[in-house]
């Protein structure tokens, strides 16, 4: 009974580990919608006393960073992508609240970025253009949207020339570009309407994050970058410098932790099952030495004796699996909210769990079965 219970728990833990590990693999292999290789990001929070001072600081910083050896492009953003943070609001589109079919949300996620931001990320510009250095505070207000914005609020038509702006702020910008949908807050978020302003055209300039694309090892550019920043302000530190991929990996840290814990407990359960089954079978073989000797004296072949022991092991395994699968299904449904790209009844996870238990059972039975097959009939009879 104890071995069967161990088998059942092992099936449950292996299924849970399989579901969570597959979830983690799906998240790690989810396309971000841009090229994260070679990207490094860091934050800055300079002492700024006026809008023009802030704009001039970031203009000069961008120009200096572009001149660094190995730097291919530089982008600025107010909200760091992959940080889990975002600004969201209901926007007016062409001067009115947009009609959303089926009661959908009018919420739009927005950010303020600098020139060449999408070029730096490697996000394709599908229509129009991205922000330029000429998009200054005195130039006409321009904005960029993503595919989901055009699909949901403009019925998929060409968005160029349409206007949008926050519902409670009298700012209306003209759409000059549309970019491909890409991940923003986290790896596992679904597509959401996005809008971008040029930071030089909005009345808020303070803490910003800088995106650098370079060749080779991304973090190798940080010493030179830090030197440039200190030349402009010796007291200004780089805030949380890291690769852009590492920033997104932080958004799945809980899934990583759950997958590792599930894998650890799955391995522990396998070890307990193997030791428990081995101990049980070894004990039973030692108690059946005389019986095995008589069987072999009566003509039983070694293969028949081995199968007798293995059959007992496989029977225990079958009972344990039969009891563990329903429990594993319940656990899978309980984990549904933590899964990504995999269902609670994922067949591969269940097959691998049952196959793993069967392999463990056979491995744990091998030595007792071999020992039984090597029993000498006369020696066995003398043990009585």
């Amino acid at each position: 009974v104890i071995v069967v219970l161990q088998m059942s728990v092992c099936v449950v833990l292996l299924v849970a580990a399989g579901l969570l590990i597959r979830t983690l693999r799906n998240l790690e292999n989810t396309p971000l919608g841009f090229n994260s290789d070679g990207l490094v990001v860091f934050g800055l929070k300079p002492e700024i006393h006026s809008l023009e001072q802030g704009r001039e600081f970031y203009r000069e910083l961008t120009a200096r960073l572009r001149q660094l050896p190995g730097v291919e492009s530089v982008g600025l953003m107010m909200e760091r992508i992959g940080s889990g943070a975002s600004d969201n609001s209901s926007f007016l589109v062409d001067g009115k609240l947009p009609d959303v079919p089926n009661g959908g949300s009018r919420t739009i996620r927005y950010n303020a970025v600098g020139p060449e931001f999408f070029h730096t990320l490697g996000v394709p510009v599908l229509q129009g253009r991205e922000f330029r250095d000429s998009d200054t505070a005195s130039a006409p207000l321009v904005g960029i949207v993503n595919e989901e914005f055009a699909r949901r609020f403009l019925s998929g038509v060409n968005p160029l020339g349409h206007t949008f702006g926050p519902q409670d702020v009298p700012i209306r910008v003209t759409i000059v570009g549309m970019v491909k949908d890409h991940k923003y807050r986290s790896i596992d978020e679904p597509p959401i309407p996005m809008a971008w302003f040029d930071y030089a055209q909005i009345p808020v300039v303070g803490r910003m994050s800088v995106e650098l694309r370079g060749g080779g090892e991304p973090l190798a550019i940080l010493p030179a970058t830090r030197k440039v920043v200190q030349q402009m302000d010796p007291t200004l530190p780089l805030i949380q410098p890291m690769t852009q991929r590492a920033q997104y990996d932080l958004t799945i840290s809980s899934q990583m932790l759950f997958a590792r814990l599930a894998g650890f407990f799955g391995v522990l359960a396998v070890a307990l099952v193997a030791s428990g089954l081995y101990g049980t079978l070894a004990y039973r073989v030692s108690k059946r030495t005389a019986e095995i000797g008589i069987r072999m004296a009566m003509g039983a072949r070694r293969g028949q004796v081995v199968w007798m022991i293995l059959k007992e092991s496989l029977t225990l395994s079958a009972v344990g699996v039969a009891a563990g699968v329903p429990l594993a299904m319940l656990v899978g449904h309980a984990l549904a909210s933590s899964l990504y790209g995999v269902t609670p009844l994922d067949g591969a996870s269940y097959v691998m769990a049952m196959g793993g238990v069967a392999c463990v059972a056979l491995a744990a039975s091998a030595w007792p079965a071999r020992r039984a097959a090597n029993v000498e009939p006369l020696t066995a009879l003398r043990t009585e």
Side-chain angles (χ1 to χ4, degrees):
V1 171
I2 292 175
V3 171
V4 168
L5 289 176
Q6 286 180 335
M7 292 265 187
S8 301
V9 173
C10 184
V11 170
V12 173
L13 290 176
L14 287 179
V15 168
L19 292 174
L20 292 173
I21 289 173
R22 292 199 67 190
T23 291
L24 180 59
R25 293 293 175 264
N26 290 338
L27 289 170
E28 290 177 337
N29 295 325
T30 297
L32 297 178
F34 61 89
N35 182 15
S36 61
D37 296 336
L39 284 178
V40 63
V41 60
F42 59 90
L44 292 174
K45 191 176 181 181
E47 289 289 336
I48 293 174
H49 304 288
S50 67
L51 285 175
E52 189 51 42
Q53 181 187 4
R55 291 164 181 162
E56 181 58 32
F57 174 86
Y58 285 113
R59 276 197 297 266
E60 183 179 354
L61 174 67
T62 301
R64 291 191 182 193
L65 291 177
R66 287 172 178 170
Q67 295 174 2
L68 287 178
V71 172
E72 298 175 3
S73 57
V74 181
L76 297 173
M77 52 189 165
M78 190 163 290
E79 290 284 355
R80 182 184 293 204
I81 59 174
S83 66
S86 65
D87 290 321
N88 307 275
S89 179
S90 294
F91 273 35
L92 299 178
V93 179
D94 291 333
K96 58 185 177 62
L97 286 174
D99 295 327
V100 182
N102 303 322
S105 173
R106 292 189 178 93
T107 299
I108 295 174
R109 184 166 293 152
Y110 61 93
N111 198 357
V113 301
E116 296 189 8
F117 174 74
F118 299 105
H119 171 69
T120 302
L121 287 184
V123 175
V125 178
L126 302 179
Q127 291 183 351
R129 64 173 179 88
E130 70 167 303
F131 296 119
R132 302 168 178 165
D133 291 328
S134 58
D135 295 321
T136 62
S138 59
L141 300 182
V142 294
I144 295 174
V145 299
N146 66 346
E147 293 175 286
E148 185 64 22
F149 183 105
R151 190 162 39 240
R152 186 176 303 186
F153 301 135
L154 296 171
S155 302
V157 302
N158 187 342
L160 302 185
H162 291 267
T163 63
F164 70 87
Q167 183 178 2
D168 52 351
V169 178
I171 295 178
R172 300 294 174 263
V173 302
T174 301
I175 300 173
V176 296
M178 181 178 73
V179 298
K180 188 175 180 61
D181 289 340
H182 57 279
K183 300 297 183 180
Y184 182 77
R185 291 180 57 215
S186 62
I187 293 178
D188 58 349
E189 68 175 355
I192 186 171
M194 283 286 308
W196 291 268
F197 302 94
D198 191 306
Y199 82 95
Q201 295 187 328
I202 63 173
V204 179
V205 177
R207 177 170 175 166
M208 299 279 280
S209 289
V210 181
E211 196 90 57
L212 292 179
R213 177 176 293 281
E217 172 58 37
L219 296 179
I221 198 66
L222 286 178
T225 301
R226 189 173 285 109
K227 184 176 180 180
V228 168
V229 173
Q230 289 177 345
Q231 288 173 351
M232 296 181 64
D233 185 345
T235 64
L236 189 59
L238 305 187
I239 302 173
Q240 293 181 312
M242 63 180 71
T243 64
Q244 186 59 69
R245 182 69 218 191
Q247 179 69 67
Y248 273 97
D249 286 342
L250 292 177
T251 67
I252 58 172
S253 58
S254 59
Q255 290 91 334
M256 288 182 178
L257 176 61
F258 292 152
R260 289 169 181 166
L261 287 176
F264 170 77
F265 285 113
V267 171
L268 182 61
V270 167
L272 291 175
V273 165
S275 60
L277 185 58
Y278 170 79
T280 300
L281 292 178
Y283 176 75
R284 289 177 66 83
V285 167
S286 67
K287 288 297 184 181
R288 298 174 67 182
T289 302
E291 175 197 343
I292 294 171
I294 294 174
R295 288 177 181 272
M296 297 187 71
M298 296 295 291
R301 295 186 297 274
R302 293 182 184 273
Q304 293 175 314
V305 174
V306 170
W307 173 244
M308 179 182 69
I309 303 301
L310 292 180
K311 183 171 65 175
E312 182 177 348
S313 171
L314 293 175
T315 300
L316 290 174
S317 301
V319 175
V321 168
V325 167
L327 295 175
M329 295 171 70
L330 293 176
V331 171
H333 283 291
L335 292 173
S337 62
S338 300
L339 303 181
Y340 181 82
V342 61
T343 65
L345 299 179
D346 177 61
S349 297
Y350 286 83
V351 170
M352 291 178 64
M354 292 186 287
V357 169
C359 291
V360 169
L362 289 174
S365 310
W367 180 254
R370 181 174 180 275
R371 180 181 173 187
N374 290 331
V375 168
E376 292 293 334
L378 292 178
T379 303
L381 293 174
R382 292 194 187 101
T383 60
E384 285 294 319

